[in-house]
Amino acid sequence: MTPAVRRFDVGVGLHGDHVGGERAAAKALLAGEVDAACMVDGNHLLFAQEGTLVAGATRVLAQTGSYDHCNMTALDPGRSHTAVDRFRRLLLGMDYGDPAVRPLLDLEGLKRWRDGRVSGYHLLEAAVDGSAFYDRKGALSAADYRP
Amino acid sequence: MEQGAHLLVDNALARLAPGDRLTVAGRDPHLAVHLAGWARARGHVLEADDGLVLVKGPAAGQRWQDSVRAGGPGADGVLARAPVSWGLAARGALVEAGGPSLAVDLTERDLVWTDVAPRLYAQAAASQWDPATAIAWNEPFELPPEIEGAVVQVMTYLIENEQAALDVPARFIGRVHPHYREVVQFLATQVADEARHVEVFTRRAALRRRELGTSGAGGRASLQTLLQETDFSLASLLLSVLGEGTFLSLLSFLERHAPDTVTRQVCRLALQDEARHVAYGQSHLEHRVAVDPSLRDRLRSAVERRHDALADTAGLQTEVLDALIVLAAGEWSPPGIARGFGLVRALQADMDEGRQRRLGRLGFPADEAAALSALHTRNFM
């Protein structure tokens, strides 16, 4: 039997990752509406600390390897290489010791930006393909998606 | 980690330098999962090859590298200048760089300070009284209609004056840097004092009559000039030293000559508070004149400017002056009125003498103090 996937789409794709969807998943888990919920490790801790999850009442079934939660992707870098390069240098130049940019890094949950990586996403890719979220051309194909 | 273990880890990391390693052990089956998420959010690296080993990141140090200690908590920790970038931070706190700047302009000690500010604030805090219980409101008394009318008129006059004395410090509270905490605290007690005065004078005015007395345009014009003074020290001179200083004589006069216990009590309590306000204004100006003698020229100009602004107004309305005479007379008879008249003349001389004495303490020569005192508003406050 193929397990059914229930998505908790809260602000997905609008302003980056959003903790709200994972919190809704955790609540559904606690209410017995779902058998398991996906969330990042830090949110499992956060939900237990804030009381959304009862401490010790859940267990971690499986973990993926690490991958970067936020990537800046330029669609046609050849066309505006200078701008892309400047953007990259500006991001990498953000210093947590600088009080002017520290609040921005804090908002993003970062201490510094790192060079882009495309490794570590294979499980995520397989899951997205397996649930037919995008079609082969990369267009959204999930009919019930409400960002 | 679900029950606060991050504090234990943080505490151990605090003693290490960036790049140092810390081995973490525990029995919670989620320890590795949670420690990884927690460490990543704080910029530490978790090495999980053989046990859980945290490599301390530089973020905590970076956050505080440009921080500044904002003086010290006691009066000896007051600094000459307080940057607006410290915002609302407590005096003595370690202040992280960044954050919004505070919109205050009184950011130098000498612009607001006096060494007795902490003591005067403590005194003020200890001297707050409850209008409901401090005054014998139910004490029976019956005054002749003319005398009661005079008391009501004087109370009506006092209320608008105390309202001005409430507004002036209230406007400055938001302009003083909170680093000068005792000044802000003192001003807050001053506002609270005046709020009580407005209450008790109103209550006495309405104790036997449904209607209050009159409010003259000239008196209100005089009070308006107090509200318009935007310089803290000049406002201290006009309101606290000259205005409330003059009121010490007035309230003392009323405490002595008022015809009923309630009026005497409200005036006595207000007098105690006003004496503190005068002490603050006087000592602040003595402090400022000591560090900047040229301030005297500006003080003199402020008195002259206010006098010029009021030159075409009536000042104290006739009804108030007459009411003081009748109140002091205590009876509606020619000898009584004559006695009251004499007492009010003596009161005005006493007010003038007090102003000259206070101006003298600010370093004005006797003849100049006398001239400046004579320019003070006829409205007393």
Side-chain angles (χ1 to χ4, degrees), chain B residues 23-342:
Chain B
T23 302
V24 181
R27 290 189 300 273
D28 189 323
H30 291 139
L31 177 60
V33 176
H34 290 163
L35 191 62
W38 178 86
R40 196 165 51 248
R42 279 154 187 77
H44 308 302
V45 174
L46 180 65
E47 294 176 342
D49 295 337
D50 183 22
L52 300 171
V53 177
L54 280 177
V55 183
K56 180 173 176 173
Q62 287 174 312
R63 177 179 289 278
W64 299 105
Q65 69 188 13
D66 294 324
S67 60
V68 181
R69 183 66 66 182
D76 56 350
V78 173
L79 302 179
R81 283 186 174 75
V84 290
S85 60
W86 289 352
L88 296 168
R91 191 171 75 219
L94 183 65
V95 185
E96 180 187 354
S101 289
L102 208 54
V104 294
D105 62 322
L106 296 168
T107 58
E108 291 179 38
R109 178 184 54 203
D110 292 337
L111 295 180
V112 294
W113 190 252
T114 160
D115 288 337
V116 296
R119 203 166 72 233
L120 285 177
Y121 166 67
Q123 252 178 39
S127 309
Q128 301 291 299
W129 41 272
D130 179 359
T133 56
I135 292 144
W137 296 109
N138 297 321
E139 180 95 354
F141 69 86
E142 187 81 32
L143 300 178
E146 296 86 356
I147 311 298
E148 176 65 20
V151 172
V152 169
Q153 180 58 58
V154 171
M155 292 296 123
T156 306
Y157 158 81
L158 289 177
I159 293 163
E160 64 186 29
N161 279 264
E162 299 295 63
Q163 182 61 43
L166 182 157
D167 275 7
V168 173
R171 286 164 191 232
F172 282 110
I173 285 177
R175 289 180 51 195
V176 178
H177 197 300
H179 182 77
Y180 306 111
R181 169 168 51 83
E182 294 85 348
V183 173
V184 176
Q185 289 169 312
F186 182 79
L187 293 177
T189 63
Q190 194 171 345
V191 171
D193 290 345
E194 303 299 3
R196 284 198 312 277
H197 301 174
V198 168
E199 177 190 342
V200 296
F201 291 146
T202 302
R203 197 160 164 183
R204 170 59 190 97
L207 200 58
R208 293 287 184 268
R209 292 198 176 176
R210 295 172 64 87
E211 288 185 334
L212 264 60
T214 56
S215 166
R220 296 204 309 279
S222 176
L223 294 176
Q224 188 72 22
T225 58
L226 288 178
L227 305 186
Q228 286 163 347
E229 182 52 72
T230 56
D231 182 287
F232 184 82
S233 295
L234 301 187
S236 289
L237 173 74
L238 298 178
L239 174 71
S240 297
V241 174
L242 296 178
E244 292 178 303
T246 299
F247 257 49
L248 294 186
S249 299
L250 176 62
L251 292 167
S252 169
F253 171 91
L254 292 170
E255 186 200 359
R256 258 196 325 275
H257 301 297
D260 61 276
T261 311
V262 171
T263 306
R264 287 194 293 271
Q265 283 181 339
V266 296
C267 291
R268 180 176 56 79
L269 289 165
L271 175 62
Q272 289 171 4
D273 295 337
E274 298 294 345
R276 246 185 348 261
H277 307 169
V278 177
Y280 175 81
Q282 181 77 31
S283 58
H284 161 62
L285 287 175
E286 287 174 21
H287 171 90
R288 260 209 90 175
V289 164
V291 295
D292 176 18
S294 74
L295 180 72
R296 273 190 212 99
D297 293 335
R298 295 182 54 219
L299 295 176
R300 185 188 303 110
S301 297
V303 174
E304 291 168 350
R305 200 166 54 241
R306 186 178 186 210
H307 175 262
D308 292 347
L310 296 173
D312 297 328
T313 65
L316 187 67
Q317 58 171 329
T318 314
E319 288 88 341
V320 176
L321 201 58
D322 289 349
L324 286 171
I325 294 169
V326 175
L327 179 150
E331 59 181 41
W332 195 250
S333 69
I337 297 296
R339 189 175 60 249
F341 189 85

Side-chain angles (χ1 to χ4, degrees), chain A residues 41-126:
Chain A
D41 48 12
N43 281 344
H44 187 259
L45 173 60
L46 171 69
F47 297 155
Q49 286 177 333
E50 71 184 17
T52 300
L53 291 177
V54 178
T58 58
R59 64 194 167 93
V60 176
L61 298 177
Q63 271 186 283
T64 70
S66 299
Y67 59 90
D68 298 320
H69 84 297
C70 179
N71 249 317
M72 297 291 177
T73 306
L75 282 178
D76 188 0
R79 184 172 290 177
S80 54
H81 186 77
T82 314
V84 171
D85 195 50
R86 178 167 154 71
F87 182 57
R88 178 183 159 279
R89 276 188 286 109
L90 284 171
L91 286 184
L92 293 179
M94 289 176 78
D95 177 3
Y96 196 69
D98 179 352
V101 303
R102 188 161 57 239
L104 303 172
L105 291 168
D106 280 340
L107 278 174
E108 190 58 26
L110 300 177
K111 297 295 177 278
R112 66 183 173 107
W113 292 95
R114 303 174 70 152
D115 277 320
R117 293 182 292 202
V118 293
S119 58
Y121 291 104
H122 59 284
L123 282 175
L124 187 60
E125 279 176 20

